[in-house]
């Protein structure tokens, strides 16, 4: 908005109660302000999930051995098909609001978050190649960590999805995978790295990478210690790659592919592994 200039003739002095004139300039933000902002964003999204996951793990340890329990990532919400579909879609849409909030906060500062985060189509070929490569490496590592965790009794049986088979099941599960990939990579990598550098300018990059990876591992602890460790390692790899290349799009692609395969093909993959 173009700032308005008062007329010289007949101009009245501004009082203390008059609203400040619009200047169009971004509001400078102190480290304390950004610290509160980070706490609020995490409290509304993955920080909240981490607290609940730790509490759920503590409860599970009091009930039975982890190897005898199961964890479901995407659950059916209603026996009625229409309401189950409605709940599934709304869950994914509302879960993305923290991502929308983060983008809005950057726009308020006069920054394009999509260019800042590398969440755009400027390098489609490179992003896709790196994303697919990460998917293959992390996917194989996930199977190994899961198998070792189950054998050691520190991981629950993971059921990626128990949503009923309907015409909308596949697109809804793909939407859920997109939700997880955007929420985790935009919040835990792109946004958190930017804010951490501004709030703690003396913190080394590895301190930020490890802190973000630890939080990523924490909100997966409801599945047991194995997934917590696996996602910690995944967070370290993703954090280093984001620091190295400055783009979150390959991480979103890799995470999306991991979740799509988990939701739609994980049971078949496990059967093939067990048969060999």
């Amino acid at each position: 908005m173009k700032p308005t200039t008062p007329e010289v003739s007949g101009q009245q002095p501004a009082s203390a109660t008059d609203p400040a004139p619009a200047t169009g300039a971004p509001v400078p933000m102190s480290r304390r302000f950004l610290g509160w902002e980070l706490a609020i964003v995490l409290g509304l999204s993955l920080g909240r999930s981490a607290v609940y996951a730790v509490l759920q793990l503590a409860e599970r340890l009091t009930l039975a051995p982890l190897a005898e329990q199961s964890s479901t990532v995407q659950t059916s919400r209603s026996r009625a098909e229409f309401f189950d579909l409605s709940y599934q879609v709304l869950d994914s849409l509302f879960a993305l609001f923290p991502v929308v909030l983060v983008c809005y906060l950057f726009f308020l500062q006069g920054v394009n978050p999509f260019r800042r985060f590398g969440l755009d189509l400027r390098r489609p070929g490179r992003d896709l190649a790196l994303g697919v490569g990460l998917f293959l490496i992390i996917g194989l590592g996930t199977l190994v960590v899961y198998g070792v965790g189950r054998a050691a009794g520190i991981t629950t049986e993971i059921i990626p999805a128990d949503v009923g088979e309907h015409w909308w099941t596949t697109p809804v599960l793909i939407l859920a995978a997109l939700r997880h990939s955007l929420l985790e990579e935009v919040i835990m990598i792109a946004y958190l790295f930017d804010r951490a550098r501004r709030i703690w300018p003396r913190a080394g990059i590895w301190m930020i990478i490890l802190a973000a990876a630890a939080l990523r591992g924490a909100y997966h602890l409801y599945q047991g210690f194995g997934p917590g460790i696996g996602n910690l390692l995944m967070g370290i790899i993703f954090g280093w790659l984001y620091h190295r290349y400055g783009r979150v799009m390959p991480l979103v692609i890799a995470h999306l592919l991991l979740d799509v395969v988990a939701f739609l093909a994980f049971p078949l993959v496990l059967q093939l592994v067990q048969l060999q």
Side-chain angles (χ1 to χ4, degrees), residues 109-131:
Q109 299 173 47
V111 177
N112 185 331
F114 303 105
R115 293 187 68 86
R116 171 67 67 86
F117 299 160
L119 189 64
D120 52 30
L121 300 178
R122 284 179 295 166
R123 301 175 182 175
R126 183 180 180 183
D127 288 344
L128 181 61
L130 183 55

Side-chain angles (χ1 to χ4, degrees), residues 77-127:
R77 297 290 305 276
S78 174
R79 296 180 180 179
E81 179 180 350
F82 170 78
F83 290 106
D84 195 12
L85 170 61
S86 301
Y87 284 130
Q88 298 292 339
V89 173
L90 290 175
D91 280 350
S92 292
L93 294 180
F94 282 120
L96 286 173
F97 268 79
V99 177
V100 176
L101 173 62
V102 163
C103 293
Y104 177 73
L105 291 171
F106 273 75
F107 276 123
L108 284 181
Q109 299 173 47
V111 177
N112 185 331
F114 303 105
R115 293 187 68 86
R116 171 67 67 86
F117 299 160
L119 189 64
D120 52 30
L121 300 178
R122 284 179 295 166
R123 301 175 182 175
R126 183 180 180 183
D127 288 344

Side-chain angles (χ1 to χ4, degrees), residues 150-164:
R150 289 291 292 162
I154 61 173
T155 299
T156 64
E157 178 186 2
I158 298 177
I159 303 172
D162 67 354
V163 180

Side-chain angles (χ1 to χ4, degrees), residues 159-271:
I159 303 172
D162 67 354
V163 180
E165 290 293 334
H166 304 290
W167 64 267
W168 47 263
T169 301
T170 296
V172 161
L173 290 177
I174 292 175
L175 176 62
L178 180 62
R179 172 190 81 190
H180 292 308
S181 60
L182 286 173
L183 181 65
E184 294 191 40
E185 306 315 327
V186 172
I187 299 292
M188 290 307 306
I189 297 292
Y191 169 74
L192 192 149
F193 277 40
D194 182 275
R195 290 314 193 229
R197 290 186 182 118
R198 296 171 186 273
I199 298 169
W200 302 287
R202 296 183 180 179
I205 184 59
W206 277 106
M207 184 180 298
I208 297 173
I209 290 174
L210 291 175
L215 184 55
R216 184 191 292 263
Y219 60 73
H220 286 92
L221 284 175
Y222 72 96
Q223 301 171 353
F225 293 104
I229 296 171
N231 279 276
L232 169 69
L233 297 175
M234 174 178 168
I236 293 174
I237 295 171
F238 277 24
W240 180 82
L241 285 172
Y242 182 72
H243 170 66
R244 176 68 175 81
Y245 295 105
R247 292 186 58 78
V248 79
M249 181 64 85
L251 312 183
V252 172
I253 293 172
H255 198 143
L256 174 63
L257 292 175
L258 286 168
D259 281 6
V260 167
V261 171
F263 287 150
L264 301 180
F266 186 70
L268 177 60
V269 172
L270 282 183
Q271 291 177 6

